[in-house]
């Protein structure tokens, strides 16, 4: 990431900046909502040993695959080091058998796609619970939330309620909100598991 870029201008840039500080080459990483593939490409650039990307829409998975191939990652896709999965993020623990260091969620609907197809509170809560069960000690779950539409507002409320009740002896939880922006700006939710000392 460009060190001169103002990461506070974009919730997704702030999420990537935070995640970058948790990832080392050779880690396992997950994009739980690959969409058009921008977060997947960011994670790929961190040189993981294994990358998983999920989306319920086949068109999103296809777009992500095309972006990765055009960016030079055909070999990782062919070898299975990068796995693109056309399934709900709620099934993350079914597919991911390693301990990911970072799991990223960018909620809402597919940019340029149907706004009728969006992430939901129930499946996202299940996905975050599953993510917590497989997260590497000291790892990060990063969720970018959008409350500007009814499903997103319900989803954000559910996530904040769930995460605020997590055991503080096991997890650190924080949120970042652009408080002077209008029209329901995105909000970042970060959950880190406490590493054993």
């Amino acid at each position: 990431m460009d060190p001169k870029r103002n990461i506070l201008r974009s919730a997704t840039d702030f999420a990537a900046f935070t995640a970058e500080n948790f990832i080392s080459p050779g880690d396992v990483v997950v994009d739980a909502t690959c969409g058009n593939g921008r977060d997947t490409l960011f994670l790929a650039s961190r040189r993981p040993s294994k990358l998983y990307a999920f989306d319920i829409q086949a068109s999103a998975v296809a777009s992500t695959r095309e972006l990765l191939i055009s960016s030079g990652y055909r070999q990782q896709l062919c070898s299975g080091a990068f796995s693109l999965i056309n399934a709900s993020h709620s099934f993350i623990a079914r597919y991911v058998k390693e301990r990911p260091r970072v799991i990223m969620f960018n909620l809402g609907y597919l940019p340029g796609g149907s706004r009728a197809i969006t992430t939901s509170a129930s499946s996202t809560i299940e996905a975050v619970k599953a993510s917590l069960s497989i997260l590497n000690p000291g790892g990060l779950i990063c969720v970018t939330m959008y409350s500007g539409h009814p499903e997103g507002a319900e989803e954000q409320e559910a996530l904040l309620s769930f995460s605020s009740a997590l055991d503080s002896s096991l997890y650190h939880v924080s949120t970042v909100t652009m408080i002077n922006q209008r029209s329901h700006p995105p909000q970042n939710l970060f959950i880190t598991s406490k590493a054993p000392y």
Side-chain angles (χ1 to χ4, degrees):
M1 179 173 289
D2 181 355
K4 296 181 180 178
R5 187 179 181 117
N6 185 344
I7 60 169
L8 293 183
R9 294 181 63 183
S10 163
T12 53
D13 282 353
F14 191 83
F17 173 81
T18 304
E20 186 172 29
N21 286 280
F22 279 79
I23 304 170
S24 297
D27 283 341
V28 176
V29 295
V30 178
D31 183 354
T33 51
C34 67
N36 286 323
R38 296 297 176 187
D39 288 339
T40 309
L41 181 60
F42 157 73
L43 290 171
S45 74
R46 309 327 300 161
R47 295 182 290 152
S49 61
K50 182 72 177 180
L51 182 155
Y52 294 89
F54 292 81
D55 207 286
I56 61 168
Q57 296 186 69
S59 60
V61 173
S63 294
T64 299
R65 182 179 303 280
E66 290 175 11
L67 180 61
L68 289 172
I69 290 172
S70 68
S71 301
Y73 295 103
R74 182 186 297 273
Q75 180 180 349
Q76 289 88 337
L77 287 164
C78 291
S79 70
F82 292 2
S83 295
L84 307 184
I85 300 163
N86 183 198
S88 169
H89 53 207
S90 62
F91 297 123
I92 188 170
R94 180 181 300 180
Y95 291 93
V96 181
K97 300 307 179 185
E98 302 90 346
R99 291 281 184 181
R101 181 69 178 166
V102 166
I103 303 173
M104 297 184 73
F105 292 78
N106 192 348
L107 303 179
Y109 44 79
L110 177 66
S114 171
R115 295 193 176 195
I117 304 173
T118 183
T119 54
S120 68
S122 58
S123 65
T124 300
I125 290 295
E126 287 305 309
V128 171
K129 287 180 179 177
S131 296
L132 290 171
S133 74
I134 62 173
L135 188 66
N136 192 296
L140 172 73
I141 296 172
C142 173
V143 187
T144 303
M145 306 175 291
Y146 302 86
S147 61
H149 57 105
E151 295 86 357
E154 179 184 347
E155 192 172 33
Q156 179 170 296
E157 182 179 356
L159 283 163
L160 294 176
S161 176
F162 168 77
S163 59
S164 65
L166 288 172
D167 187 342
S168 62
S169 69
L170 300 176
Y171 303 102
H172 295 293
V173 181
S174 68
T175 58
V176 176
T177 307
M178 297 179 183
I179 59 175
N180 70 332
Q181 302 299 308
R182 298 179 180 179
S183 302
H184 308 282
Q187 184 170 348
N188 293 123
L189 169 66
F190 300 107
I191 305 172
T192 66
S193 65
K194 293 188 176 181
Y197 295 104

